[in-house]
Every structure is written in C-alpha cells, then in structure tokens.
Amino acid sequence: MSGTYEAVEPRAMAAGATATADPQESNDIRTVAVASAIGNMIEYYDFTLYATATALVFNKIFFPSDDPLVGSLLAFATFFVGYCARPLGGVIFGHFGDRVGRKTALLLTMLIMGAGTFLIGLMPTYGQVGVLAPICLIVLRLLQGIGIGGEYGGGMVMTVEHAPADRRGFYSSLVHIGVPAGFLIPIALLGLLSTTMSEAEFLAWGWRLPFLFSIVLVGIGLFIRFKVSETPAFQRVLAEEGRAGVPVVEAVRNHSGNILFGIGAKIAESGLFNIYAVFVITYCVTKLGLPRQTVLNGVLVGCALECLTLPLFGALSDRIGRRAVYVGGMLFQAILALVFFQMMDSGQTSLVWLSIALGLAIGHGSVYGAQGAYFSELFPARIRYSGLSLVQQLGPILGGGLSPLVATALLAEYGSATWIAGYMVAMALVSAACAFGLRPLRGMV
C-alpha cells in the first residue's frame, strides 16, 4: 500500500474536520436521501430529455435523412457519445470526491450537467448552420456525459455512507427514484408540447423549452445540496487513514474483480432500461405507426409505477440479500424479453402499456432497487466514489449507450424484433452471471 495514501496526523485531521463543520448543514439520512434523489432526478431529466428528443426531434433537425431509421441511427450515435464521456467524468470527479469530499464534487457535477442541457436548448439546427449543428450537439453531449459520469457515484455514496447499515438498500433505492422521476418530467413536457403545438412549431422551437427549463431545476438542486453535510465515513477516512493518492488506481489494483463483474452486472440494467424507455418510442412510431403520444404515455405510466416499486425492492434487498433480488430481476427480464415485442406488435394500447410497465416497474425496478447498496458495498470508503463510478459509468457504455443503437440497427437490417429480443435475453443472462461473481466487503463502513 506504500504510496497509495498521504500520511496524516489523526488527531489533527479529526480536529480539522470538526472545526470546518457547518452547523447549518444536515446529516439526517432523510434529508441526504432527498438531496441525492433530486440530484439523480436532475441528472436523468437531462439524460431523458436528450434521449426522448433524439427519438422525436434530433433525427429530423440535426440529422435529416430520407430514411427515418437512418436519421434515428445517426441521432442515437450522439446518444452513445455521451455514454463514452461518462467514465471520464467518473474518474475526474471520483478522484476529486475521494480526496476533497463528496459534497464539493457533487456541486460541480450538477453545474456541468445543467450547463450542457441549457445550451442544447439554444442550438441552431442543421438547416441553419449545416454540419456545424451536429458537431456542436456532440460537444454539448460530451459535456453532459462528463457531468453525469461524476454525479451518480457521489450521490449514491453520500446516501449509503449516511444510512444505517441495515437499511442501506431502502435508502439507496430512494435515490434511484430520481431516475423514473427524471424520465416523467421531460417526457410529460415534450408530450404536452407535441400535442398542443403543430408539428412545425414543435420542431422549430417548442422542443427547446424543456431544455431551457432545466436551469430552474439545477438552481433548486444546488440550493438543497449546499445544506447537506459531508459523510461520516469520509471524515473518518481523513482522520484515521488519509486520502488515497490516486483513488482510481488503488481501486483497479485492489478491487479489479469487483470492478469487472460489476461492469458486467450493470450492462443489462442500463441496456434493458433504454430498450423499455427509449427504443420503444422509435419502434412504436417508426415501425408500428402508433401515435407518438400513445407510447409516451406508456413510458410515463411505467416510470410512475417504478417510483413505487423501487423502495419495495430496496427494502427487500435488506431482508433477503442484494444478490437474490438482483439476479431474480435479471431472470425475470430474460423471460419478459421473449414476449415483450409480441405484446408491442399487437398494437393494442393496453398491451403496449403493460409490456413497458412490466419492464420498468418489475424488471428494472427489482434490479435497480438493489443495485445502489449492492455496488457501494464492493469498495472501502477511501476509494468508494472512484470504484463505484468506474462500475456505474463503464457498464452503461456496453449497455444503455449501445442498446438503442444496436436495437435500431437490428430492426433496420432484419425488419422484425426477433433479433432484438435475443439481444435482450443475452444481456440479462450475462449480467445475472456477473452478479454471482461480485464480492461485497464484510462490515462495510
């Protein structure tokens, strides 16, 4: 371990930590969980807004093509670029969060995410500036990805390190409510705008309003985060162990197995989520010719139900174990994949909504409800932000970042969803197998 941390005088550091505490800050777990959930919601508001606009708008105004599927492929390619930037954000802010503090890193990630989203709302289109438009879009998507890459790990670590040991699953799942909630708001806004405006008005300027509105959410999030205290675990690390010199290097060197299996276990969680909530919009509108609002409403229903099921599965993971809940959710999704597109192809609104709800509220909800605590317990506090960020940001590149692109390409090549269903089954089974390889720490603090 030589050279991996800075030597400090425990008493002096402990005194320093106490002296800098702000009496106006709160370490109440409910306040911390709400603050982290709101941060996660803003993260996924930005994420979902981009994803939904990719399927509905960007393929027309930034990547125009005679073939709608080709335009969607190009648009989803920029969606993937954002995922590629996330590990960089995870490394940068994981390093910062493990050495300087979780709270400071989280304030910066929120500012970066908000700036990227707000500026997308001011972007000129392809028809106005030509190829410069998609180039600028890619740059802003990279900025979004860097901010998002650092956001999740910090918010989850803040909550897990404040939570009682026997309720980590429950409180970490509350943070994850920010994901379906973050989907609800932009989809509802885009749906409302697209149905109350003409197609020309919506494509000309209506789609920009939710992007510009993000600055309000960022202001609220920053206000709440300023009131949350640093975690006891981080203060203990400073007082007793000292900072890791290069946290990401220490994580890779000493916990490579958990990182690799964690990445594999993460693939299907993010990949299948984007099938249920992102690709289905393209599939139903482009392939099935269903009204856009029908599928958007289905995603809204699924996200609303997942807000209710996440804490149930999180609490269940506290009782029967993270692995049992996680693997069970993956196996459920493998089975669901066999009938998911058959339900879609029926064209019946009730079955379309049911398939999305089963995927989001039960399939993804079970896995995501257990995941926050499960993955956080893989790493010690001194490198937890960095280790968790590596798993959470590398896994989605192979999962959520690729799944809409792969699914769209398979649909364009074969004209049916059979191969997409096989792709979903393969993801679920691979991630279930990887979850068995994870080795959480005993007596995590």
Side-chain angles (χ1 to χ4, degrees):
M1 297 293 291
S2 177
T4 60
Y5 64 91
E6 298 174 351
V8 293
E9 173 58 42
R11 292 183 180 177
M13 185 59 74
T18 302
T20 57
D22 187 338
Q24 294 183 337
E25 292 179 342
S26 172
N27 62 1
D28 179 75
I29 180 56
R30 290 166 296 185
T31 302
V32 174
V34 168
S36 296
I38 290 175
N40 211 23
M41 182 195 72
I42 294 171
E43 170 189 347
Y44 274 86
Y45 176 92
D46 296 349
F47 167 89
T48 306
L49 193 55
Y50 190 96
T52 308
T54 295
L56 299 179
V57 180
F58 292 169
N59 58 336
K60 299 175 183 177
I61 66 172
F62 291 118
F63 305 96
S65 172
D66 293 334
D67 186 339
L69 280 178
V70 172
S72 294
L73 277 171
L74 293 172
F76 280 132
T78 67
F79 184 71
F80 178 57
V81 164
Y83 271 93
C84 292
R86 288 169 65 160
L88 176 60
V91 170
I92 292 172
F93 289 103
H95 179 89
F96 197 53
D98 280 330
R99 288 184 55 81
V100 178
R102 285 65 160 120
K103 176 178 176 177
T104 304
L106 285 170
L107 292 172
L108 291 173
T109 59
M110 187 168 289
L111 283 172
I112 291 173
M113 288 189 309
T117 303
F118 180 78
L119 291 174
I120 287 175
L122 302 176
M123 279 279 300
T125 66
Y126 185 91
Q128 294 171 320
V129 296
V131 72
L132 185 62
I135 291 174
C136 290
L137 185 65
I138 290 171
V139 171
L140 292 177
R141 180 60 178 159
L142 286 170
L143 186 65
Q144 267 191 328
I146 290 172
I148 289 174
E151 166 66 28
Y152 175 89
M156 183 55 67
V157 166
M158 282 285 284
T159 301
V160 167
E161 290 182 350
H162 276 98
D166 60 347
R167 303 203 72 194
R168 287 188 189 126
F170 172 74
Y171 282 112
S172 65
S173 69
L174 296 183
V175 178
H176 281 163
I177 289 177
V179 176
F183 263 73
L184 278 169
I185 298 172
I187 290 177
L189 286 174
L190 285 173
L192 177 64
L193 291 170
S194 65
T195 54
T196 57
M197 304 173 70
S198 68
E199 182 79 5
E201 289 175 328
F202 180 69
L203 292 177
W205 58 272
W207 67 270
R208 299 178 184 274
L209 299 179
F211 283 89
L212 299 177
F213 176 70
S214 68
I215 201 70
V216 176
L217 297 178
V218 170
I220 296 172
L222 289 173
F223 175 78
I224 295 174
R225 281 214 167 142
F226 270 116
K227 294 181 174 296
V228 174
S229 66
E230 189 54 82
T231 72
F234 181 73
Q235 293 174 345
R236 179 192 58 77
V237 166
L238 292 183
E240 299 177 6
E241 302 177 36
R243 299 177 177 91
V246 185
V248 68
V249 172
E250 185 175 328
V252 172
R253 179 187 300 149
N254 298 329
H255 303 275
S256 58
N258 276 339
I259 290 174
L260 289 175
F261 282 119
I263 290 170
K266 176 73 178 177
I267 288 174
E269 178 269 307
S270 63
L272 293 173
F273 181 85
N274 280 352
I275 296 291
Y276 306 140
V278 178
F279 173 73
V280 292
I281 299 173
T282 295
Y283 184 80
C284 289
V285 174
T286 304
K287 175 67 176 177
L288 303 182
L290 297 178
R292 177 171 51 199
Q293 198 57 43
T294 296
V295 65
L296 286 176
N297 288 341
V299 174
L300 286 173
V301 170
C303 287
L305 290 173
E306 189 174 3
C307 288
L308 301 177
T309 60
L310 275 169
L312 298 178
F313 285 116
L316 184 63
S317 78
D318 286 326
R319 294 179 64 85
I320 69 173
R322 324 284 187 220
R323 180 179 295 159
V325 176
Y326 201 93
V327 172
M330 286 299 177
L331 296 179
F332 173 84
Q333 290 181 92
I335 296 170
L336 176 63
L338 300 176
V339 298
F340 184 78
F341 286 103
Q342 294 179 30
M343 297 170 73
M344 286 279 174
D345 290 343
S346 71
Q348 298 180 32
T349 299
S350 59
L351 288 179
V352 170
W353 287 18
L354 178 61
S355 62
I356 296 173
L358 288 172
L360 290 174
I362 306 299
H364 185 260
S366 57
V367 171
Y368 212 40
Q371 187 187 97
Y374 195 18
F375 287 4
S376 296
E377 291 167 350
L378 301 176
F379 307 100
R382 57 187 277 114
I383 59 165
R384 186 169 294 137
Y385 197 147
S386 296
L388 181 60
S389 294
L390 282 177
V391 171
Q392 289 288 349
Q393 305 312 332
L394 288 173
I397 292 179
L398 302 174
L402 277 178
S403 62
L405 185 62
V406 170
T408 305
L410 289 172
L411 182 62
E413 178 68 22
Y414 298 104
S416 75
T418 302
W419 285 93
I420 303 173
Y423 170 58
M424 294 168 68
V425 170
M427 276 197 293
L429 294 181
V430 167
S431 287
C434 288
F436 275 105
L438 295 175
R439 295 293 180 266
L441 301 177
R442 295 181 181 275
M444 188 202 89
V445 293

